[in-house]
Amino acid sequence: MSATITDLKEMTAYMHEKLLGLVPEFEIARKAEVAVEINKLKKEKNAIILGHNYMEPALYHTVADVTGDSLELCRKAASTDADILVFCGVEFMAETAKIINPSKKVLIPSTKAGCSLASSITAEDVRNLKKKYPGVPVVTYINSYADVKAETDVCCTSGNAAKIVAALNTDTVIFIPDEYLAQNVARETGKKVIFPDFKSKKDESLDKVFVSWHGKCEVHEQFTVEDVSRIRAQFPDVVVLAHPECSPEVTAASDFTGSTSAMINYVKKNKAPNYLLLTECAMGDNIIAENKDANILRLCSIRCPHMNQITLEDTLAALKEDKYEVQVPEEIRVRAKRSIDRMLEMS
Ligand code: 13P
Ligand code: SF4
């Protein structure tokens, strides 16, 4: 496994085989030195690296002990016996790992890896929703911060949202904060989406309803049906893969909608000549590295500025200097953990 390679020659040869064509040769030479240093340090410190599917290829394929979507990384974080977890992803993911592992050191290589969805809602917003809709269960996307999770009944990810809602076996849920994920899951589960109007005193029908929030992913909200049509005009045999954070119109115009890992698995299992990937562009490189014959079309003018904060070089600095340590106040952590534990039990 590449994440255990500590010999420079071996790492360089491995990276050549895996990444040549995606990473220039001179950069492979430079990155291989950093990767080897990281792998040595992990061993010395009993640390592991969890790498989200969006990480740059020279990080994702060399030093990550586990890779995956939010759900897979959360499951792994819950079962590791490492002392230090370095989270190569965004802040809410690292925070989730800390919530599950209070006695372990959880590090994130940059303090600038936020998320437009996580910052779209506050704990007070959730308390107000609960006041307006008493007794309605709160399902919160894992792309949220600890204090919001603390107000939540059960978390969900892009990979298990429909399953979690179905398992609750209730007509109405508060499903926050991503309005597009809410609309995509509502369509799948035969529900309608409404948005709270805190000024209105009128009684609303709450029959088969998702009460949602106007949060959006600043990346996926930019993909359009016109993008899909243009690509289909140029590549009539293209298979369009969309993330459920895309608008319901875009997912309806696509051939498959799923979490980042579900998209990766789709390419692995199917042999279409062309794919269009409607998600963060770096994931296309990671797919090509594993599927050399696949033609993965991407719209790379749309990027996640947060995920792209995390580099191989910053990951080395994080491990060397034990930075940046993620902390969650204990009172919030305990309540937030319940909503994550419940999700892991239910999915
Ligand atoms: P996944 O859980 O599908 O990897 O999604 C995380 C994310 O932030 C997508 O933008
Ligand atoms: Fe957040 Fe969107 Fe970036 Fe994912 S891609 S981390 S949802 S801003």
Side-chain angles (χ1 to χ4, degrees):
M1 193 197 172
S2 57
T4 57
I5 299 175
T6 51
D7 176 77
L8 183 57
K9 254 190 176 167
E10 195 186 339
M11 179 60 88
T12 309
Y14 167 81
M15 288 177 76
H16 262 250
E17 195 197 320
K18 197 95 192 170
L19 301 176
L20 203 59
L22 296 166
V23 182
E25 196 163 17
F26 78 92
E27 210 186 22
I28 287 186
R30 210 186 269 165
K31 296 262 183 189
E33 284 183 21
V34 182
V36 159
E37 215 182 321
I38 291 176
N39 285 345
K40 284 182 188 159
L41 266 176
K42 282 191 309 190
K43 219 170 169 182
E44 271 171 48
K45 295 187 152 191
N46 190 26
I48 61 160
I49 293 183
L50 299 114
H52 185 262
N53 291 327
Y54 288 165
M55 290 297 106
E56 60 162 311
L59 186 164
Y60 186 84
H61 292 282
T62 59
V63 297
D65 299 274
V66 213
T67 55
D69 62 13
S70 310
L71 181 59
E72 290 163 337
L73 295 178
C74 182
R75 281 202 183 113
K76 188 62 202 180
S79 63
T80 179
D81 52 15
D83 296 319
I84 301 176
L85 280 69
V86 183
F87 215 112
C88 292
V90 289
E91 195 185 331
F92 75 80
M93 296 178 176
E95 215 185 49
T96 303
K98 182 66 185 179
I99 291 168
I100 304 170
N101 291 292
S103 61
K104 294 183 198 282
K105 194 176 269 183
V106 177
L107 305 174
I108 182 161
S110 167
T111 51
K112 295 187 189 129
C115 170
S116 65
L117 276 171
S119 54
S120 70
I121 193 160
T122 65
E124 191 176 359
D125 292 331
V126 188
R127 284 193 289 272
N128 287 336
L129 279 163
K130 291 199 287 192
K131 250 185 243 158
K132 187 167 169 64
Y133 304 99
V136 177
V138 179
V139 180
T140 302
Y141 194 27
I142 200 151
N143 295 36
S144 54
Y145 291 120
D147 54 346
V148 166
K149 290 188 174 88
E151 300 292 340
T152 293
D153 292 298
V154 55
C155 284
C156 74
T157 73
S158 61
N160 64 14
K163 201 170 176 180
I164 297 285
V165 171
L168 285 173
N169 206 11
T170 156
D171 261 1
T172 313
V173 289
I174 296 172
F175 190 103
I176 47 176
D178 184 351
E179 72 171 85
Y180 287 163
L181 181 68
Q183 283 168 12
N184 285 316
V185 179
R187 186 170 57 198
E188 205 180 325
T189 53
K191 305 255 178 27
K192 190 177 114 194
V193 174
I194 62 163
F195 295 95
D197 177 354
F198 289 104
K199 287 184 194 127
S200 165
K201 296 258 179 291
K202 270 196 282 169
D203 273 349
E204 299 159 289
S205 159
L206 291 181
D207 191 30
K208 297 195 176 160
V209 153
F210 276 22
V211 179
S212 192
W213 196 251
H214 287 299
K216 288 195 192 92
C217 162
E218 67 191 85
V219 178
H220 294 92
E221 71 168 331
Q222 293 189 61
F223 298 120
T224 64
V225 173
E226 198 186 349
D227 295 335
V228 176
S229 313
R230 283 181 168 172
I231 298 284
R232 287 203 196 277
Q234 191 183 350
F235 301 91
D237 56 4
V238 73
V239 172
V240 181
L241 310 177
H243 193 273
E245 290 166 11
C246 294
S247 76
E249 292 79 19
V250 166
T251 56
S254 304
D255 299 296
F256 175 80
T257 301
S259 78
T260 55
S261 288
M263 290 191 221
I264 292 172
N265 290 333
Y266 190 101
V267 178
K268 238 182 241 169
K269 286 191 193 132
N270 295 275
K271 289 274 167 264
N274 297 299
Y275 292 96
L276 169 64
L277 209 60
L278 295 177
T279 198
E280 157 60 34
C281 183
M283 200 173 97
D285 286 340
N286 292 333
I287 296 180
I288 293 167
E290 302 278 348
N291 305 270
K292 296 275 196 259
D293 297 335
N295 185 29
I296 309 288
L297 302 159
R298 285 153 279 169
L299 306 179
C300 290
S301 51
I302 300 170
R303 305 296 309 260
C304 177
H306 312 289
M307 287 283 186
N308 282 296
Q309 291 292 328
I310 311 292
T311 64
L312 190 68
E313 292 72 15
D314 287 343
T315 304
L316 175 58
L319 257 174
K320 267 187 181 164
E321 297 164 39
D322 279 1
K323 67 179 188 187
Y324 297 92
E325 195 171 348
V326 178
Q327 304 283 8
V328 181
E330 186 61 8
E331 181 268 332
I332 289 178
R333 187 196 71 77
V334 171
R335 290 191 293 132
K337 186 170 182 291
R338 271 186 233 137
S339 65
I340 298 168
D341 286 346
R342 197 158 173 219
M343 171 187 82
L344 292 173
E345 280 157 24
M346 285 166 76
S347 58

